[in-house]
mmCIF file of all heavy atoms in Angstrom:
data_model
loop_
_atom_site.group_PDB
_atom_site.id
_atom_site.type_symbol
_atom_site.label_atom_id
_atom_site.label_comp_id
_atom_site.label_asym_id
_atom_site.label_seq_id
_atom_site.Cartn_x
_atom_site.Cartn_y
_atom_site.Cartn_z
ATOM 1 N N PHE A 14 -24.685 -21.972 -60.900
ATOM 2 C CA PHE A 14 -23.826 -20.862 -60.485
ATOM 3 C C PHE A 14 -24.130 -20.483 -59.030
ATOM 4 O O PHE A 14 -23.221 -20.233 -58.231
ATOM 5 C CB PHE A 14 -24.036 -19.663 -61.395
ATOM 6 C CG PHE A 14 -23.311 -19.745 -62.723
ATOM 7 C CD1 PHE A 14 -22.699 -20.923 -63.132
ATOM 8 C CD2 PHE A 14 -23.250 -18.655 -63.573
ATOM 9 C CE1 PHE A 14 -22.034 -21.008 -64.351
ATOM 10 C CE2 PHE A 14 -22.581 -18.718 -64.789
ATOM 11 C CZ PHE A 14 -21.971 -19.897 -65.177
ATOM 12 N N TRP A 15 -25.425 -20.431 -58.693
ATOM 13 C CA TRP A 15 -25.808 -20.090 -57.319
ATOM 14 C C TRP A 15 -25.412 -21.197 -56.351
ATOM 15 O O TRP A 15 -25.053 -20.918 -55.200
ATOM 16 C CB TRP A 15 -27.301 -19.784 -57.232
ATOM 17 C CG TRP A 15 -27.586 -18.365 -57.615
ATOM 18 C CD1 TRP A 15 -28.176 -17.915 -58.757
ATOM 19 C CD2 TRP A 15 -27.248 -17.201 -56.851
ATOM 20 N NE1 TRP A 15 -28.225 -16.541 -58.751
ATOM 21 C CE2 TRP A 15 -27.665 -16.077 -57.592
ATOM 22 C CE3 TRP A 15 -26.640 -16.992 -55.620
ATOM 23 C CZ2 TRP A 15 -27.486 -14.773 -57.142
ATOM 24 C CZ3 TRP A 15 -26.455 -15.692 -55.162
ATOM 25 C CH2 TRP A 15 -26.879 -14.594 -55.924
ATOM 26 N N VAL A 16 -25.461 -22.437 -56.784
ATOM 27 C CA VAL A 16 -24.985 -23.537 -55.943
ATOM 28 C C VAL A 16 -23.497 -23.361 -55.653
ATOM 29 O O VAL A 16 -23.044 -23.534 -54.510
ATOM 30 C CB VAL A 16 -25.252 -24.902 -56.610
ATOM 31 C CG1 VAL A 16 -24.519 -26.020 -55.862
ATOM 32 C CG2 VAL A 16 -26.746 -25.197 -56.639
ATOM 33 N N CYS A 17 -22.734 -23.007 -56.669
ATOM 34 C CA CYS A 17 -21.294 -22.767 -56.476
ATOM 35 C C CYS A 17 -21.062 -21.645 -55.477
ATOM 36 O O CYS A 17 -20.185 -21.745 -54.600
ATOM 37 C CB CYS A 17 -20.622 -22.415 -57.809
ATOM 38 S SG CYS A 17 -20.438 -23.806 -58.947
ATOM 39 N N TYR A 18 -21.840 -20.583 -55.589
ATOM 40 C CA TYR A 18 -21.666 -19.460 -54.662
ATOM 41 C C TYR A 18 -22.025 -19.888 -53.236
ATOM 42 O O TYR A 18 -21.300 -19.582 -52.279
ATOM 43 C CB TYR A 18 -22.520 -18.271 -55.087
ATOM 44 C CG TYR A 18 -22.446 -17.128 -54.093
ATOM 45 C CD1 TYR A 18 -21.247 -16.437 -53.890
ATOM 46 C CD2 TYR A 18 -23.554 -16.755 -53.342
ATOM 47 C CE1 TYR A 18 -21.165 -15.400 -52.973
ATOM 48 C CE2 TYR A 18 -23.474 -15.726 -52.413
ATOM 49 C CZ TYR A 18 -22.280 -15.051 -52.237
ATOM 50 O OH TYR A 18 -22.198 -14.042 -51.311
ATOM 51 N N LEU A 19 -23.143 -20.610 -53.072
ATOM 52 C CA LEU A 19 -23.555 -21.058 -51.742
ATOM 53 C C LEU A 19 -22.507 -22.001 -51.147
ATOM 54 O O LEU A 19 -22.177 -21.907 -49.955
ATOM 55 C CB LEU A 19 -24.921 -21.746 -51.806
ATOM 56 C CG LEU A 19 -25.461 -22.333 -50.492
ATOM 57 C CD1 LEU A 19 -25.466 -21.303 -49.375
ATOM 58 C CD2 LEU A 19 -26.871 -22.894 -50.710
ATOM 59 N N LEU A 20 -21.978 -22.905 -51.953
ATOM 60 C CA LEU A 20 -20.931 -23.803 -51.464
ATOM 61 C C LEU A 20 -19.686 -23.025 -51.046
ATOM 62 O O LEU A 20 -19.010 -23.382 -50.074
ATOM 63 C CB LEU A 20 -20.574 -24.835 -52.537
ATOM 64 C CG LEU A 20 -21.589 -25.963 -52.742
ATOM 65 C CD1 LEU A 20 -21.218 -26.800 -53.956
ATOM 66 C CD2 LEU A 20 -21.670 -26.848 -51.494
ATOM 67 N N THR A 21 -19.391 -21.941 -51.759
ATOM 68 C CA THR A 21 -18.261 -21.095 -51.381
ATOM 69 C C THR A 21 -18.520 -20.442 -50.026
ATOM 70 O O THR A 21 -17.630 -20.381 -49.170
ATOM 71 C CB THR A 21 -18.022 -20.006 -52.446
ATOM 72 O OG1 THR A 21 -17.807 -20.618 -53.717
ATOM 73 C CG2 THR A 21 -16.799 -19.163 -52.103
ATOM 74 N N VAL A 22 -19.749 -19.953 -49.827
ATOM 75 C CA VAL A 22 -20.128 -19.373 -48.532
ATOM 76 C C VAL A 22 -19.951 -20.405 -47.416
ATOM 77 O O VAL A 22 -19.423 -20.105 -46.336
ATOM 78 C CB VAL A 22 -21.596 -18.881 -48.564
ATOM 79 C CG1 VAL A 22 -22.095 -18.530 -47.168
ATOM 80 C CG2 VAL A 22 -21.725 -17.657 -49.472
ATOM 81 N N LEU A 23 -20.379 -21.639 -47.671
ATOM 82 C CA LEU A 23 -20.332 -22.688 -46.651
ATOM 83 C C LEU A 23 -18.910 -23.162 -46.361
ATOM 84 O O LEU A 23 -18.588 -23.529 -45.225
ATOM 85 C CB LEU A 23 -21.184 -23.881 -47.096
ATOM 86 C CG LEU A 23 -22.693 -23.624 -47.224
ATOM 87 C CD1 LEU A 23 -23.381 -24.827 -47.852
ATOM 88 C CD2 LEU A 23 -23.308 -23.299 -45.870
ATOM 89 N N CYS A 24 -18.061 -23.144 -47.385
ATOM 90 C CA CYS A 24 -16.704 -23.683 -47.238
ATOM 91 C C CYS A 24 -15.684 -22.651 -46.771
ATOM 92 O O CYS A 24 -14.615 -23.025 -46.276
ATOM 93 C CB CYS A 24 -16.230 -24.287 -48.562
ATOM 94 S SG CYS A 24 -17.076 -25.819 -49.021
ATOM 95 N N CYS A 25 -15.993 -21.372 -46.924
ATOM 96 C CA CYS A 25 -15.024 -20.329 -46.603
ATOM 97 C C CYS A 25 -14.713 -20.346 -45.100
ATOM 98 O O CYS A 25 -15.585 -20.089 -44.266
ATOM 99 C CB CYS A 25 -15.566 -18.973 -47.026
ATOM 100 S SG CYS A 25 -14.348 -17.643 -46.876
ATOM 101 N N HIS A 26 -13.474 -20.670 -44.759
ATOM 102 C CA HIS A 26 -13.015 -20.731 -43.359
ATOM 103 C C HIS A 26 -13.785 -21.771 -42.548
ATOM 104 O O HIS A 26 -13.923 -21.627 -41.323
ATOM 105 C CB HIS A 26 -13.120 -19.355 -42.681
ATOM 106 C CG HIS A 26 -12.191 -18.339 -43.253
ATOM 107 N ND1 HIS A 26 -11.959 -17.129 -42.662
ATOM 108 C CD2 HIS A 26 -11.429 -18.350 -44.377
ATOM 109 C CE1 HIS A 26 -11.092 -16.438 -43.380
ATOM 110 N NE2 HIS A 26 -10.764 -17.163 -44.423
ATOM 111 N N ASN A 27 -14.311 -22.806 -43.213
ATOM 112 C CA ASN A 27 -15.048 -23.852 -42.518
ATOM 113 C C ASN A 27 -14.482 -25.205 -42.969
ATOM 114 O O ASN A 27 -15.012 -25.856 -43.870
ATOM 115 C CB ASN A 27 -16.545 -23.757 -42.837
ATOM 116 C CG ASN A 27 -17.397 -24.628 -41.935
ATOM 117 O OD1 ASN A 27 -16.973 -25.691 -41.507
ATOM 118 N ND2 ASN A 27 -18.614 -24.175 -41.657
ATOM 119 N N THR A 28 -13.393 -25.600 -42.330
ATOM 120 C CA THR A 28 -12.679 -26.813 -42.733
ATOM 121 C C THR A 28 -13.543 -28.072 -42.705
ATOM 122 O O THR A 28 -13.476 -28.888 -43.639
ATOM 123 C CB THR A 28 -11.433 -27.016 -41.855
ATOM 124 O OG1 THR A 28 -10.615 -25.836 -41.931
ATOM 125 C CG2 THR A 28 -10.631 -28.225 -42.312
ATOM 126 N N PRO A 29 -14.382 -28.275 -41.665
ATOM 127 C CA PRO A 29 -15.230 -29.485 -41.674
ATOM 128 C C PRO A 29 -16.135 -29.561 -42.902
ATOM 129 O O PRO A 29 -16.343 -30.639 -43.457
ATOM 130 C CB PRO A 29 -16.050 -29.336 -40.381
ATOM 131 C CG PRO A 29 -15.188 -28.524 -39.485
ATOM 132 C CD PRO A 29 -14.512 -27.536 -40.392
ATOM 133 N N TYR A 30 -16.670 -28.408 -43.335
ATOM 134 C CA TYR A 30 -17.548 -28.423 -44.507
ATOM 135 C C TYR A 30 -16.747 -28.703 -45.770
ATOM 136 O O TYR A 30 -17.211 -29.412 -46.668
ATOM 137 C CB TYR A 30 -18.299 -27.096 -44.647
ATOM 138 C CG TYR A 30 -19.746 -27.293 -45.008
ATOM 139 C CD1 TYR A 30 -20.767 -27.047 -44.103
ATOM 140 C CD2 TYR A 30 -20.104 -27.761 -46.269
ATOM 141 C CE1 TYR A 30 -22.094 -27.255 -44.424
ATOM 142 C CE2 TYR A 30 -21.428 -27.981 -46.592
ATOM 143 C CZ TYR A 30 -22.411 -27.729 -45.673
ATOM 144 O OH TYR A 30 -23.723 -27.953 -46.005
ATOM 145 N N ILE A 31 -15.549 -28.160 -45.851
ATOM 146 C CA ILE A 31 -14.683 -28.441 -46.998
ATOM 147 C C ILE A 31 -14.438 -29.942 -47.109
ATOM 148 O O ILE A 31 -14.513 -30.532 -48.192
ATOM 149 C CB ILE A 31 -13.343 -27.684 -46.869
ATOM 150 C CG1 ILE A 31 -13.565 -26.174 -47.016
ATOM 151 C CG2 ILE A 31 -12.333 -28.187 -47.900
ATOM 152 C CD1 ILE A 31 -12.317 -25.346 -46.768
ATOM 153 N N ARG A 32 -14.163 -30.571 -45.965
ATOM 154 C CA ARG A 32 -13.887 -32.010 -45.958
ATOM 155 C C ARG A 32 -15.115 -32.804 -46.415
ATOM 156 O O ARG A 32 -14.995 -33.743 -47.221
ATOM 157 C CB ARG A 32 -13.483 -32.441 -44.544
ATOM 158 C CG ARG A 32 -13.015 -33.882 -44.451
ATOM 159 C CD ARG A 32 -12.579 -34.243 -43.035
ATOM 160 N NE ARG A 32 -11.450 -33.418 -42.614
ATOM 161 C CZ ARG A 32 -11.514 -32.502 -41.641
ATOM 162 N NH1 ARG A 32 -12.654 -32.279 -41.006
ATOM 163 N NH2 ARG A 32 -10.452 -31.813 -41.319
ATOM 164 N N ILE A 33 -16.300 -32.397 -45.944
ATOM 165 C CA ILE A 33 -17.531 -33.100 -46.315
ATOM 166 C C ILE A 33 -17.780 -33.002 -47.815
ATOM 167 O O ILE A 33 -18.073 -33.999 -48.482
ATOM 168 C CB ILE A 33 -18.731 -32.520 -45.530
ATOM 169 C CG1 ILE A 33 -18.665 -32.949 -44.068
ATOM 170 C CG2 ILE A 33 -20.048 -32.980 -46.146
ATOM 171 C CD1 ILE A 33 -19.692 -32.267 -43.193
ATOM 172 N N ILE A 34 -17.675 -31.784 -48.352
ATOM 173 C CA ILE A 34 -17.935 -31.577 -49.778
ATOM 174 C C ILE A 34 -16.924 -32.349 -50.624
ATOM 175 O O ILE A 34 -17.275 -32.973 -51.635
ATOM 176 C CB ILE A 34 -17.893 -30.072 -50.128
ATOM 177 C CG1 ILE A 34 -18.983 -29.303 -49.370
ATOM 178 C CG2 ILE A 34 -18.061 -29.868 -51.627
ATOM 179 C CD1 ILE A 34 -20.390 -29.735 -49.681
ATOM 180 N N HIS A 35 -15.666 -32.307 -50.201
ATOM 181 C CA HIS A 35 -14.620 -32.998 -50.950
ATOM 182 C C HIS A 35 -14.875 -34.501 -50.971
ATOM 183 O O HIS A 35 -14.765 -35.153 -52.026
ATOM 184 C CB HIS A 35 -13.259 -32.708 -50.318
ATOM 185 C CG HIS A 35 -12.091 -33.085 -51.173
ATOM 186 N ND1 HIS A 35 -11.700 -34.396 -51.345
ATOM 187 C CD2 HIS A 35 -11.237 -32.327 -51.908
ATOM 188 C CE1 HIS A 35 -10.650 -34.435 -52.143
ATOM 189 N NE2 HIS A 35 -10.342 -33.194 -52.500
ATOM 190 N N GLU A 36 -15.233 -35.061 -49.814
ATOM 191 C CA GLU A 36 -15.452 -36.503 -49.727
ATOM 192 C C GLU A 36 -16.712 -36.933 -50.470
ATOM 193 O O GLU A 36 -16.726 -37.984 -51.130
ATOM 194 C CB GLU A 36 -15.526 -36.922 -48.252
ATOM 195 C CG GLU A 36 -14.199 -36.794 -47.520
ATOM 196 C CD GLU A 36 -14.312 -37.120 -46.034
ATOM 197 O OE1 GLU A 36 -15.452 -37.357 -45.570
ATOM 198 O OE2 GLU A 36 -13.271 -37.134 -45.360
ATOM 199 N N LEU A 37 -17.772 -36.142 -50.370
ATOM 200 C CA LEU A 37 -19.019 -36.485 -51.051
ATOM 201 C C LEU A 37 -18.904 -36.341 -52.564
ATOM 202 O O LEU A 37 -19.435 -37.144 -53.322
ATOM 203 C CB LEU A 37 -20.161 -35.595 -50.548
ATOM 204 C CG LEU A 37 -20.717 -35.873 -49.152
ATOM 205 C CD1 LEU A 37 -21.757 -34.812 -48.783
ATOM 206 C CD2 LEU A 37 -21.349 -37.259 -49.086
ATOM 207 N N GLY A 38 -18.221 -35.277 -52.987
ATOM 208 C CA GLY A 38 -18.174 -34.960 -54.419
ATOM 209 C C GLY A 38 -17.167 -35.772 -55.198
ATOM 210 O O GLY A 38 -17.471 -36.296 -56.270
ATOM 211 N N GLY A 39 -15.947 -35.864 -54.673
ATOM 212 C CA GLY A 39 -14.898 -36.632 -55.317
ATOM 213 C C GLY A 39 -14.593 -36.189 -56.742
ATOM 214 O O GLY A 39 -14.734 -35.012 -57.110
ATOM 215 N N GLN A 40 -14.203 -37.147 -57.556
ATOM 216 C CA GLN A 40 -13.806 -36.880 -58.932
ATOM 217 C C GLN A 40 -14.948 -36.303 -59.759
ATOM 218 O O GLN A 40 -14.740 -35.432 -60.613
ATOM 219 C CB GLN A 40 -13.303 -38.172 -59.587
ATOM 220 C CG GLN A 40 -12.815 -37.998 -61.017
ATOM 221 C CD GLN A 40 -11.618 -37.083 -61.114
ATOM 222 O OE1 GLN A 40 -10.673 -37.218 -60.333
ATOM 223 N NE2 GLN A 40 -11.649 -36.130 -62.044
ATOM 224 N N LYS A 41 -16.160 -36.763 -59.500
ATOM 225 C CA LYS A 41 -17.313 -36.281 -60.259
ATOM 226 C C LYS A 41 -17.527 -34.783 -60.032
ATOM 227 O O LYS A 41 -17.797 -34.035 -60.974
ATOM 228 C CB LYS A 41 -18.571 -37.051 -59.847
ATOM 229 C CG LYS A 41 -19.783 -36.781 -60.722
ATOM 230 C CD LYS A 41 -20.940 -37.685 -60.336
ATOM 231 C CE LYS A 41 -22.133 -37.470 -61.248
ATOM 232 N NZ LYS A 41 -23.281 -38.361 -60.879
ATOM 233 N N LEU A 42 -17.361 -34.350 -58.779
ATOM 234 C CA LEU A 42 -17.501 -32.923 -58.478
ATOM 235 C C LEU A 42 -16.384 -32.122 -59.126
ATOM 236 O O LEU A 42 -16.622 -31.057 -59.686
ATOM 237 C CB LEU A 42 -17.487 -32.711 -56.963
ATOM 238 C CG LEU A 42 -17.479 -31.257 -56.492
ATOM 239 C CD1 LEU A 42 -18.711 -30.515 -56.983
ATOM 240 C CD2 LEU A 42 -17.375 -31.190 -54.971
ATOM 241 N N GLU A 43 -15.172 -32.622 -59.048
ATOM 242 C CA GLU A 43 -14.045 -31.922 -59.659
ATOM 243 C C GLU A 43 -14.282 -31.721 -61.154
ATOM 244 O O GLU A 43 -14.072 -30.620 -61.690
ATOM 245 C CB GLU A 43 -12.755 -32.710 -59.436
ATOM 246 C CG GLU A 43 -11.529 -32.028 -60.038
ATOM 247 C CD GLU A 43 -10.254 -32.820 -59.814
ATOM 248 O OE1 GLU A 43 -10.322 -33.918 -59.225
ATOM 249 O OE2 GLU A 43 -9.180 -32.347 -60.236
ATOM 250 N N THR A 44 -14.739 -32.760 -61.826
ATOM 251 C CA THR A 44 -15.017 -32.669 -63.261
ATOM 252 C C THR A 44 -16.090 -31.633 -63.549
ATOM 253 O O THR A 44 -15.974 -30.838 -64.483
ATOM 254 C CB THR A 44 -15.453 -34.044 -63.806
ATOM 255 O OG1 THR A 44 -14.423 -35.001 -63.557
ATOM 256 C CG2 THR A 44 -15.741 -33.965 -65.299
ATOM 257 N N LYS A 45 -17.143 -31.627 -62.729
ATOM 258 C CA LYS A 45 -18.246 -30.689 -62.940
ATOM 259 C C LYS A 45 -17.791 -29.260 -62.694
ATOM 260 O O LYS A 45 -18.153 -28.339 -63.449
ATOM 261 C CB LYS A 45 -19.410 -31.034 -61.997
ATOM 262 C CG LYS A 45 -20.692 -30.299 -62.352
ATOM 263 C CD LYS A 45 -21.165 -30.703 -63.735
ATOM 264 C CE LYS A 45 -22.357 -29.908 -64.198
ATOM 265 N NZ LYS A 45 -22.814 -30.296 -65.536
ATOM 266 N N LEU A 46 -16.999 -29.043 -61.660
ATOM 267 C CA LEU A 46 -16.519 -27.693 -61.357
ATOM 268 C C LEU A 46 -15.583 -27.177 -62.452
ATOM 269 O O LEU A 46 -15.607 -25.992 -62.789
ATOM 270 C CB LEU A 46 -15.816 -27.670 -60.001
ATOM 271 C CG LEU A 46 -16.711 -27.826 -58.770
ATOM 272 C CD1 LEU A 46 -15.872 -27.885 -57.508
ATOM 273 C CD2 LEU A 46 -17.733 -26.688 -58.695
ATOM 274 N N LYS A 47 -14.777 -28.062 -63.008
ATOM 275 C CA LYS A 47 -13.897 -27.655 -64.109
ATOM 276 C C LYS A 47 -14.733 -27.189 -65.298
ATOM 277 O O LYS A 47 -14.411 -26.186 -65.947
ATOM 278 C CB LYS A 47 -12.985 -28.809 -64.519
ATOM 279 C CG LYS A 47 -11.864 -29.081 -63.549
ATOM 280 C CD LYS A 47 -11.024 -30.262 -64.037
ATOM 281 C CE LYS A 47 -9.898 -30.578 -63.072
ATOM 282 N NZ LYS A 47 -9.119 -31.764 -63.500
ATOM 283 N N PHE A 48 -15.802 -27.934 -65.568
ATOM 284 C CA PHE A 48 -16.682 -27.550 -66.678
ATOM 285 C C PHE A 48 -17.348 -26.201 -66.403
ATOM 286 O O PHE A 48 -17.372 -25.319 -67.263
ATOM 287 C CB PHE A 48 -17.746 -28.628 -66.886
ATOM 288 C CG PHE A 48 -18.801 -28.251 -67.890
ATOM 289 C CD1 PHE A 48 -18.511 -28.223 -69.253
ATOM 290 C CD2 PHE A 48 -20.081 -27.899 -67.482
ATOM 291 C CE1 PHE A 48 -19.482 -27.863 -70.183
ATOM 292 C CE2 PHE A 48 -21.049 -27.533 -68.406
ATOM 293 C CZ PHE A 48 -20.755 -27.514 -69.749
ATOM 294 N N LEU A 49 -17.883 -26.028 -65.193
ATOM 295 C CA LEU A 49 -18.553 -24.771 -64.858
ATOM 296 C C LEU A 49 -17.567 -23.604 -64.820
ATOM 297 O O LEU A 49 -17.923 -22.476 -65.189
ATOM 298 C CB LEU A 49 -19.258 -24.897 -63.504
ATOM 299 C CG LEU A 49 -20.488 -25.811 -63.472
ATOM 300 C CD1 LEU A 49 -20.962 -26.024 -62.044
ATOM 301 C CD2 LEU A 49 -21.624 -25.228 -64.316
ATOM 302 N N SER A 50 -16.345 -23.859 -64.404
ATOM 303 C CA SER A 50 -15.347 -22.782 -64.339
ATOM 304 C C SER A 50 -14.951 -22.301 -65.732
ATOM 305 O O SER A 50 -14.466 -21.180 -65.895
ATOM 306 C CB SER A 50 -14.105 -23.253 -63.577
ATOM 307 O OG SER A 50 -13.397 -24.235 -64.308
ATOM 308 N N SER A 51 -15.168 -23.149 -66.740
ATOM 309 C CA SER A 51 -14.823 -22.776 -68.120
ATOM 310 C C SER A 51 -15.921 -21.944 -68.780
ATOM 311 O O SER A 51 -15.740 -21.429 -69.883
ATOM 312 C CB SER A 51 -14.562 -24.038 -68.954
ATOM 313 O OG SER A 51 -15.774 -24.765 -69.160
ATOM 314 N N MET A 52 -17.062 -21.798 -68.092
ATOM 315 C CA MET A 52 -18.180 -21.053 -68.653
ATOM 316 C C MET A 52 -18.024 -19.564 -68.379
ATOM 317 O O MET A 52 -17.172 -19.136 -67.604
ATOM 318 C CB MET A 52 -19.500 -21.578 -68.079
ATOM 319 C CG MET A 52 -19.747 -23.054 -68.364
ATOM 320 S SD MET A 52 -21.332 -23.653 -67.752
ATOM 321 C CE MET A 52 -22.450 -22.898 -68.939
ATOM 322 N N GLU A 53 -18.862 -18.781 -69.028
ATOM 323 C CA GLU A 53 -18.812 -17.319 -68.891
ATOM 324 C C GLU A 53 -19.545 -16.888 -67.629
ATOM 325 O O GLU A 53 -20.744 -17.123 -67.482
ATOM 326 C CB GLU A 53 -19.454 -16.662 -70.123
ATOM 327 C CG GLU A 53 -19.485 -15.147 -70.074
ATOM 328 C CD GLU A 53 -18.094 -14.549 -69.969
ATOM 329 O OE1 GLU A 53 -17.244 -14.856 -70.820
ATOM 330 O OE2 GLU A 53 -17.873 -13.767 -69.016
ATOM 331 N N TRP A 54 -18.821 -16.269 -66.703
ATOM 332 C CA TRP A 54 -19.397 -15.771 -65.452
ATOM 333 C C TRP A 54 -19.557 -14.252 -65.500
ATOM 334 O O TRP A 54 -19.379 -13.559 -64.502
ATOM 335 C CB TRP A 54 -18.524 -16.177 -64.263
ATOM 336 C CG TRP A 54 -18.636 -17.623 -63.884
ATOM 337 C CD1 TRP A 54 -18.193 -18.700 -64.591
ATOM 338 C CD2 TRP A 54 -19.254 -18.149 -62.698
ATOM 339 N NE1 TRP A 54 -18.483 -19.869 -63.930
ATOM 340 C CE2 TRP A 54 -19.129 -19.562 -62.759
ATOM 341 C CE3 TRP A 54 -19.885 -17.572 -61.594
ATOM 342 C CZ2 TRP A 54 -19.622 -20.405 -61.763
ATOM 343 C CZ3 TRP A 54 -20.367 -18.400 -60.595
ATOM 344 C CH2 TRP A 54 -20.244 -19.795 -60.685
ATOM 345 N N SER A 55 -19.900 -13.764 -66.640
ATOM 346 C CA SER A 55 -20.018 -12.318 -66.835
ATOM 347 C C SER A 55 -21.032 -11.723 -65.855
ATOM 348 O O SER A 55 -22.144 -12.233 -65.695
ATOM 349 C CB SER A 55 -20.463 -12.025 -68.275
ATOM 350 O OG SER A 55 -20.646 -10.649 -68.469
#
């Protein structure tokens, strides 16, 4: 959860970082984020 928050901090209004994360993570990252997004963030 904290990794997701830190990545949000790094990617917010930072297009080069968004591109890096997208290219490095790919489909595997998308799958993992979908799983984490389905969890309880209470």
